[in-house]
């Protein structure tokens, strides 16, 4: 009996502890986000830092985004063609490709790739800077790491991701054009006119852009928070990097559902 | 400082690429070009049945888009569907006795509003109501009518 | 010139714990201006933590740290940063910014805190690098430097803004004898030529004995001895003796606390229950 009670107490204790730990993480996270936001205006005075971070987050992610955009567009229109051709509606392949890209696949796949490419790099970089005492050294040199390290990266990610998603979308549409018009012989005029009559500027394009901005904020916060809270050792940094990719990916998919249900309802 | 210049050039090119992609999507892919704030005027029409007509469906004159459906409501007096349409100000010489009908593009395509011009001197303007309307064709009714006619001619 | 030096940093009743573990338990000590003060203690005694407390990077549980008469833990963020411009710190790893060259690392504090012209910064950086003997390495990246060289570059960076005090965190750990010698000489000459107040955290007794004017020994969260090296060397019993002369057994037992060996052996006979 007492053994049972002990087990029960143990379970309760564990639940209680993990609850408290989660609250603590949540609290630290909120404080971190607040201090990040408070440091955002300082980025305006340090364009040199911002540009460098946009280069690292955005320009260096271009190759993967370009390739992925092209291939996703090509696959989409190939699959779409095979289905639509049965209903003699293969001209609709353009609008189908464009709609899937602009509404869902562009922001989601773009953000997932970005989280894997730039988010993980960000966490690793900050974790390493902490474990090699570079952050402490900055503080000691009277340079605020919040303004010098975190805020420029935060803003850079939020700027870079929507631009990357736009490029991804444009390349995806182009890939769709290549496959359906140049390869499968869909009429070029019908391809474009169907597309532009179906794709709405505000509903589809703008909502897609809003999604990518939201995903950018999510990735930036997760990547920075994991970097700052990484245990300063090589295992600590590597597991924080993994957590960044896992948490951002799940966050992106979950938020995408929520945003879609708000936007397209 | 050479390194900083390289970064600046690349970031500049990157941002430019992003905006080019946006322009491509806006003008080539989406309906941005006819969504621009061109001056329009609003007219309305009452239909018995709008079928599958949706907001933002095109309003066409001889197959050319001249406006869009703005909103679809129920008229509280007649209990008919009241369709408000925005017509491009460029087409401000449409006779007041023009008629509108709900048509379908192709057999399975989307529905749109087709405008048939009348002959009156007076023209449609902001707030006008188009009197002559023809509802969407509903397949079941069509078959029903056909059957009735068929039996009468017997 | 009075014999008794002015106090620059004063620590009063400092208590700090990390989780359950108490790292400092009511430490009181003062660090004189213009001298080299060494804080010694075994590994894990929280010497680095003490430096971070002095620099205001960590908050104590209780007690105060006064730097130039200001209680650093009560200062606003802005004022702490202002005070830190008078501080230089040499981290154990050097902590150079890995994406900047040696030159840019040393120029970094100057670029961040001054509006000097590029020519002026160039001249100053070369001067600082010359002082640590690494002017020839200015175009190398931190990854191309040896551990000793990184520490010297970090030292040049630490003195770039001509601070009034400089903290050394374990400067001799893991260095070969020649590098140790170079660092000892550097710390000494910098202290003399710039009139710096140096605080040195270390457990390398030999090197510390060469340069420190004043030594504090910390163990188990308490200050157990302080004084000039002569006084400490004269101590022939107790912990200080064991630490300074590196004896394997003494107040710090050779064996990790445990049940008696005989009891443990009994358990073997009992079938390791």
């Amino acid at each position: 009996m007492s053994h049972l009670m002990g087990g029960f107490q143990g379970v309760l204790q564990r639940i209680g502890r993990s609850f408290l730990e989660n609250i603590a993480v949540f609290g630290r996270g909120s404080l971190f986000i607040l201090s990040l936001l408070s440091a955002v205006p300082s980025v305006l005075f340090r364009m040199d830092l911002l540009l460098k971070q946009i280069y690292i987050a955005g320009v260096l992610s271009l190759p993967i985004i370009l390739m992925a955009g092209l291939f996703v567009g090509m696959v989409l229109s190939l699959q779409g063609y095979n289905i639509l051709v049965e209903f003699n509606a293969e001209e609709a392949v353009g609008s189908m490709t464009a709609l899937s890209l602009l509404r869902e696949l562009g922001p989601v796949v773009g953000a997932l790739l970005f989280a894997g490419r730039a988010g993980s790099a960000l966490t690793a970089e900050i974790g390493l800077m902490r474990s090699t005492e570079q952050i402490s050294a900055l503080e000691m040199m009277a340079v605020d790491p919040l303004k010098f390290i975190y805020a420029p990266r935060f803003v850079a990610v939020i700027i870079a991701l929507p631009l990357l998603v736009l490029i991804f979308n444009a390349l995806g549409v182009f890939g769709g054009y290549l496959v359906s018009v140049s390869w499968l012989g869909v009429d070029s005029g019908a391809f474009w006119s169907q597309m532009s009559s179906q794709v709405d500027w505000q509903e589809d394009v703008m909502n897609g852009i809003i999604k990518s901005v939201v995903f950018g904020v999510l990735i930036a916060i997760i990547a920075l928070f994991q970097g700052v809270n990484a245990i300063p050792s090589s295992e600590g940094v590597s597991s924080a990097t993994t957590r960044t990719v896992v948490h951002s990916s799940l966050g992106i998919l979950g938020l995408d559902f929520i945003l879609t249900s708000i936007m397209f309802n | 400082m050479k390194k900083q210049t390289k970064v600046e050039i690349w970031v500049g090119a990157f941002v430019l690429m992003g905006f080019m992609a946006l322009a491509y999507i806006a003008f080539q892919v989406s309906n941005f070009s006819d969504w621009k704030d061109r001056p329009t005027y609003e007219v309305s029409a009452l239909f018995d049945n709008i079928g599958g007509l949706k907001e933002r469906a095109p309003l066409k004159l001889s197959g050319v888009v001249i406006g869009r459906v703005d909103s679809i409501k129920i008229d509280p007096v007649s209990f008919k569907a009241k369709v408000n349409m925005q017509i491009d100000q460029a087409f401000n010489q449409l006779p007041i006795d023009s008629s509108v009908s709900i048509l379908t593009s192709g057999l399975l395509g989307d529905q749109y509003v087709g405008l048939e011009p009348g002959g009156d001197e007076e023209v449609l303007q902001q707030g006008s109501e188009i009197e002559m309307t023809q509802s969407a064709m509903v397949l079941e009714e069509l078959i029903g009518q056909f059957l009735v006619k068929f039996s009468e001619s017997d | 010139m009075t014999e008794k030096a002015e106090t620059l940093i004063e620590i009063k009743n400092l208590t700090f714990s990390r989780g359950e573990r108490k790292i400092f338990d009511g430490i009181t000590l003062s660090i004189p201006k213009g001298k080299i003060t060494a804080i010694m203690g075994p590994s894990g005694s929280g010497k680095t933590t003490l430096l971070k407390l002095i620099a205001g990077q960590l908050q104590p549980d209780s007690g105060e740290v006064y730097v130039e008469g200001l209680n650093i833990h009560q200062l606003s963020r802005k004022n702490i940063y202002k005070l830190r411009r008078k501080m230089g710190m040499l981290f154990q790893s050097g902590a150079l910014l890995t994406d900047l060259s040696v030159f840019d690392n040393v120029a970094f504090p100057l670029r961040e805190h001054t509006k000097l012209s590029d020519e002026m910064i160039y001249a100053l950086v070369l001067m600082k690098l010359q002082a640590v003997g690494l002017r020839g390495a200015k175009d190398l990246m931190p990854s191309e430097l040896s551990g000793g060289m990184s520490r010297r570059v970090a030292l040049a960076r630490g003195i770039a803004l001509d601070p009034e005090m400089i903290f050394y965190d374990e400067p001799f750990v893991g260095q070969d004898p020649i590098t140790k010698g170079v660092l000892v000489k550097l710390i000494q000459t910098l202290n003399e030529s710039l009139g710096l107040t140096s605080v040195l955290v270390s457990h390398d007794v030999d090197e510390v004995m060469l340069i420190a004017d004043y030594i504090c020994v910390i163990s188990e969260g308490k200050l157990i001895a302080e004084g000039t090296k002569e006084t400490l060397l004269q101590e022939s019993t107790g912990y200080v003796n064991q630490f300074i002369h590196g004896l394997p057994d003494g107040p710090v037992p050779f064996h990790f606390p445990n049940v008696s060996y005989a009891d443990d052996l009994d358990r073997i006979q009992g079938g390791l229950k």
Side-chain angles (χ1 to χ4, degrees):
Chain A
M1 189 62 201
S2 77
H3 179 74
L4 256 179
M5 278 305 285
F8 184 62
Q9 267 181 0
V11 169
L12 268 187
Q13 199 180 355
R14 236 178 300 158
I15 292 175
R17 188 181 301 149
S18 83
F19 180 69
L20 288 179
E21 273 166 10
N22 279 323
I23 288 195
V25 168
F26 183 75
R28 265 185 295 148
S30 317
L31 278 180
F32 181 67
I33 293 168
L34 280 182
S35 53
L36 256 184
L37 291 178
S38 73
V40 163
S42 68
V43 175
L44 288 177
F45 302 102
R46 293 304 302 264
M47 278 311 194
D48 56 328
L49 297 176
L50 180 63
L51 285 179
K52 190 173 173 197
Q53 292 310 317
I54 294 182
Y55 177 81
I56 291 170
V59 175
L60 296 185
S61 304
L62 265 180
I64 186 174
I65 290 287
L66 293 175
M67 299 281 278
L70 195 66
F71 285 131
V72 167
M74 285 162 71
V75 162
L76 267 181
S77 55
L78 191 56
Q79 286 284 7
Y81 179 86
N82 285 336
I83 296 168
L84 291 168
V85 79
E86 305 215 349
F87 304 100
N88 277 333
E90 64 267 24
E91 274 93 4
V93 71
S95 60
M96 199 212 75
T97 307
L99 281 179
S100 347
L101 275 171
L102 291 169
R103 287 184 174 182
E104 294 294 341
L105 288 170
V108 171
V109 176
L112 288 175
L113 291 172
F114 186 76
R117 164 68 186 70
S120 60
L122 199 57
T123 303
E125 186 197 14
I126 288 177
L128 278 175
M129 286 184 91
R130 265 169 45 84
S131 69
T132 54
E133 296 174 308
Q134 291 182 54
I135 302 279
S136 283
L138 283 174
E139 284 180 358
M140 282 311 299
M141 287 188 279
V143 173
D144 191 347
L146 200 58
K147 290 178 185 163
F148 190 81
I149 302 285
Y150 306 144
R153 284 166 174 73
F154 180 70
V155 177
V157 164
I158 296 171
I159 292 176
L161 182 57
L163 290 171
L164 288 171
V165 167
L166 282 171
I167 295 169
F168 183 98
N169 285 339
L171 248 97
V173 169
F174 179 69
Y177 176 83
L178 281 186
V179 166
S180 42
V181 176
S182 309
W183 181 27
L184 299 171
V186 173
D187 180 58
S188 153
F191 179 87
W192 291 119
S193 68
Q194 278 261 2
M195 194 187 286
S196 59
S197 73
Q198 289 288 318
V199 177
D200 185 58
W201 166 251
Q202 192 168 34
E203 185 137 302
D204 302 317
V205 181
M206 286 313 260
N207 279 344
I209 294 174
I210 292 170
K211 272 187 180 180
S212 64
V213 173
V214 174
F215 295 159
V217 175
L218 180 85
I219 295 173
I221 288 174
I222 292 179
L224 287 172
F225 184 74
Q226 291 296 350
V228 170
N229 286 288
I231 297 161
S233 67
S234 38
E235 301 96 56
V237 172
S238 80
S239 67
T241 309
T242 311
R243 273 201 302 279
T244 294
V245 176
V246 173
H247 290 189
S248 328
S249 307
L250 291 178
I252 287 162
L253 295 170
L255 261 181
D256 182 54
F257 174 71
I258 296 171
L259 287 175
T260 303
S261 62
I262 295 172
M263 287 169 169
F264 301 103
N265 229 332
Chain B
M1 285 302 103
K2 224 180 100 201
K3 218 167 110 195
Q4 186 69 19
T5 325
K6 190 189 108 190
V7 166
E8 279 165 14
I9 291 171
W10 267 109
V11 171
F14 171 56
V15 173
L16 193 71
M17 265 178 86
F19 280 101
M20 272 163 53
L22 180 65
Y24 176 73
I25 290 167
F27 294 111
Q28 181 80 296
V29 178
S30 84
N31 59 357
F32 178 75
S33 38
D34 52 53
W35 199 81
K36 285 182 304 196
D37 290 322
R38 272 198 250 161
T40 57
Y41 62 99
E42 188 177 294
V43 300
S44 62
L46 293 176
F47 289 95
D48 292 322
N49 191 335
I50 58 160
L53 189 71
K54 294 193 184 71
E55 289 180 7
R56 285 186 303 93
L59 169 66
K60 292 182 182 179
L61 168 62
S62 312
V64 179
V65 178
I66 58 165
R68 286 201 178 267
V69 172
D70 190 45
S71 65
I72 301 170
K73 295 190 187 82
I74 287 289
D75 182 51
V77 184
S78 61
F79 298 118
K80 286 182 174 178
K82 184 173 184 184
V83 176
N84 292 312
M85 291 160 283
Q86 298 283 351
I87 303 178
D88 196 325
Q89 199 69 55
F91 307 99
N92 58 359
Q93 296 296 322
L94 302 169
I96 190 113
D97 62 343
S98 300
S99 66
V100 283
S101 44
I102 294 175
L103 304 168
T104 307
S105 48
L107 194 59
L108 295 167
D110 277 350
Q111 289 188 304
Y112 66 95
V113 182
L115 189 138
E116 198 67 34
D120 206 297
E121 295 276 299
E122 213 181 322
V123 294
L124 285 171
Q125 47 189 305
Q126 173 70 28
S128 302
E129 193 181 317
I130 299 174
E131 307 277 342
M132 299 218 283
T133 65
Q134 192 188 347
S135 291
M137 278 199 269
V138 180
L139 210 55
E140 294 90 320
E141 284 179 16
L142 216 63
I143 294 169
Q145 280 171 4
F146 176 75
L147 287 176
V148 169
K149 286 228 175 87
F150 194 71
S151 57
E152 273 173 0
S153 69
D154 225 16
Chain C
M1 287 293 268
T2 48
E3 201 36 42
K4 192 177 182 309
E6 212 182 316
T7 300
L8 185 74
I9 299 166
E10 199 158 12
I11 300 172
K12 282 184 184 163
N13 270 324
L14 190 75
T15 303
F16 181 82
S17 36
R18 195 159 259 162
E20 309 261 299
R21 209 163 76 88
K22 219 164 209 177
I23 296 181
F24 299 119
D25 189 5
I27 285 194
T28 300
L29 60 89
S30 51
I31 291 166
K33 194 168 181 167
K35 305 271 183 191
I36 301 178
T37 304
I39 296 170
M40 306 194 70
S43 309
S45 61
K47 302 182 297 293
T48 306
T49 312
L50 187 62
L51 283 187
K52 291 195 168 176
L53 282 162
I54 294 175
Q57 288 190 314
L58 292 172
Q59 285 285 337
D61 299 342
S62 68
E64 295 103 47
V65 175
Y66 293 94
V67 179
E68 292 191 318
L70 299 167
N71 183 343
I72 193 156
H73 298 110
Q74 310 247 302
L75 292 178
S76 66
R77 199 179 171 87
K78 204 175 141 197
N79 284 329
I80 288 185
Y81 276 112
K82 221 159 134 190
L83 191 58
R84 283 200 191 135
R85 292 194 199 181
K86 299 180 185 169
M87 300 175 175
M89 191 184 286
L90 180 66
F91 287 89
Q92 206 169 342
S93 57
L96 296 175
L97 300 174
T98 39
D99 55 343
L100 299 180
S101 70
V102 165
F103 179 89
D104 290 329
N105 259 291
V106 180
F108 180 78
L110 296 166
R111 288 188 178 135
E112 287 298 315
H113 292 306
T114 67
K115 290 197 163 58
L116 297 174
S117 66
D118 281 355
E119 292 78 24
M120 191 72 184
I121 287 178
Y122 188 78
L124 277 172
V125 171
L126 285 198
M127 197 173 93
K128 305 291 175 189
L129 281 173
Q130 175 74 11
V132 298
L134 287 177
R135 193 166 44 87
K138 69 179 164 58
D139 295 324
L140 296 182
M141 293 305 282
S143 55
E144 298 169 291
L145 301 176
S146 70
M149 281 160 91
S150 322
R151 279 183 211 187
R152 281 152 75 185
V153 174
L155 191 52
R157 185 179 68 176
I159 57 171
L161 285 172
D162 293 325
E164 290 169 22
M165 54 200 116
I166 185 156
F167 306 128
Y168 299 93
D169 183 9
E170 303 278 12
F172 309 116
V173 160
Q175 299 300 316
D176 61 75
I178 298 173
T179 312
K180 277 187 190 174
V182 168
L183 288 167
V184 164
K185 180 177 164 284
L186 270 175
I187 294 172
Q188 211 160 20
T189 41
L190 285 176
N191 195 69
E192 279 162 17
S193 58
L194 301 176
L196 285 168
T197 303
S198 309
V199 181
L200 187 68
V201 147
S202 178
H203 54 230
D204 291 88
V205 179
D206 297 341
E207 282 74 24
V208 169
M209 285 298 165
L210 283 175
I211 48 173
D213 298 311
Y214 197 72
I215 299 172
C216 306
V217 183
I218 291 176
S219 174
E220 312 212 326
K222 291 194 164 39
L223 181 68
I224 55 168
E226 59 179 320
T228 57
K229 56 187 166 199
E230 289 79 17
T231 30
L232 290 188
L233 280 172
Q234 277 160 16
E235 199 118 358
S236 57
T237 52
Y239 179 79
V240 176
N241 180 48
Q242 188 193 357
F243 184 78
I244 297 221
H245 297 108
L247 305 176
D249 209 352
V252 177
F254 172 72
H255 293 291
F256 195 80
N258 199 352
V259 294
S260 82
Y261 194 29
D263 286 353
D264 240 2
L265 287 176
D266 278 348
R267 286 180 59 216
I268 298 175
Q269 287 181 329
L272 275 185
K273 253 190 260 165

